Amino acid sequence: MPVIRTLLAAVVASAAATATLVLAAPAGATAASAAAGPSPTAAACDRAGWADRVQGAPAGFTGGARGGDYLWHDSSGFHLRVTHRGDDRAVYTGVITSPTPMRINLVKLERGDVAKLSANHRSLVFAFVNYGHVDGVDFHTDCAASITISHLNAGRSALSPDRVYLGATKAHPARIPFTVHRDRH
C-alpha cells in the first residue's frame, strides 16, 4: 500500500491544478457518482462524437487482455479501463484533464484502487492495482472541446504509447501526453 500512496502522491503533485483532491467514492464501490447529475446540455454532449480514433469500445476487450490502458467514448461518455495478462500485481496510474468540470463513476474497483477529482473537477487522477481483471472509471466532460491524458505509468515506469489502446480499433497515441478533441462534424 505505501507504494500506491507514493505513486499517487507523485502523480497528484505533478498534475493537480489545485492542492485539494476529493475522493470520488469509497474503495470497493462498483459505481458511484462524484458530482450531481448532468444538465440536459451536458447529457447531450456525452452523446456527441469525439475524434474517430476514440469512438467505440475496443474490439474483444476483456480482463486479462494485453496489459495497458484502454480508453474509449460512446453515447454514455468516456470509459477508461486497465488490465494485463496473468494474475500478478500491476499498478496503473495517470491523469486526465479537461477544460470543463468532469463527473465520474467507478467501475469494478477493489480495495486499494483510487480515482479522485481535483477540487475544481477538471483533473482526474487514478491509481488502479490490477491483478489481471478489469479496473476502471467512466467519466463525463460536460461539453469540453478536448481532454488531455498524461502521466501514464505501469508501476514505476512510464507507460509506452503502444500499451495505450484507443477506441474500437485500439489505435495508439503517437506520444504521451496526448490530447483528444471533440468531433466537429
Side-chain angles (χ1 to χ4, degrees):
M1 201 65 166
V3 171
I4 297 167
R5 287 189 185 111
T6 301
L7 287 170
L8 185 59
V11 170
V12 171
S14 65
T18 63
T20 306
L21 293 176
V22 293
L23 180 62
T30 56
S33 178
S39 68
T41 301
C45 285
D46 272 349
R47 292 186 296 277
W50 283 72
D52 287 344
R53 71 182 178 152
V54 297
Q55 285 301 126
F61 174 73
T62 61
R66 184 163 189 255
D69 291 10
Y70 292 76
L71 176 72
W72 71 94
H73 180 269
D74 62 22
S75 63
S76 64
F78 273 99
H79 311 275
L80 172 71
R81 303 291 186 273
V82 302
T83 192
H84 72 284
R85 291 186 177 132
D87 59 3
D88 57 317
R89 182 177 185 271
V91 179
Y92 292 92
T93 60
V95 178
I96 300 170
T97 56
S98 168
T100 63
M102 293 183 278
R103 293 170 288 107
I104 64 174
N105 298 318
L106 306 178
V107 179
K108 298 184 178 185
L109 300 188
E110 300 92 23
R111 184 181 178 129
D113 293 333
V114 178
K116 294 183 178 188
L117 286 171
S118 62
N120 67 6
H121 289 229
R122 293 180 183 200
S123 294
L124 164 60
V125 178
F126 65 89
F128 299 140
V129 180
N130 186 265
Y131 291 92
H133 300 288
V134 175
D135 296 310
V137 63
D138 293 339
F139 62 98
H140 312 274
T141 59
D142 288 354
C143 299
S146 64
I147 60 170
T148 299
I149 296 84
S150 62
H151 304 285
L152 298 180
N153 293 288
R156 296 181 187 261
S157 301
L159 194 63
S160 170
D162 71 344
R163 292 191 49 209
V164 176
Y165 307 94
L166 304 174
T169 63
K170 299 182 203 170
H172 304 291
R175 69 189 74 68
I176 300 169
F178 63 97
T179 299
V180 177
H181 297 275
R182 187 176 291 279
D183 184 13
R184 297 291 182 202
H185 298 334

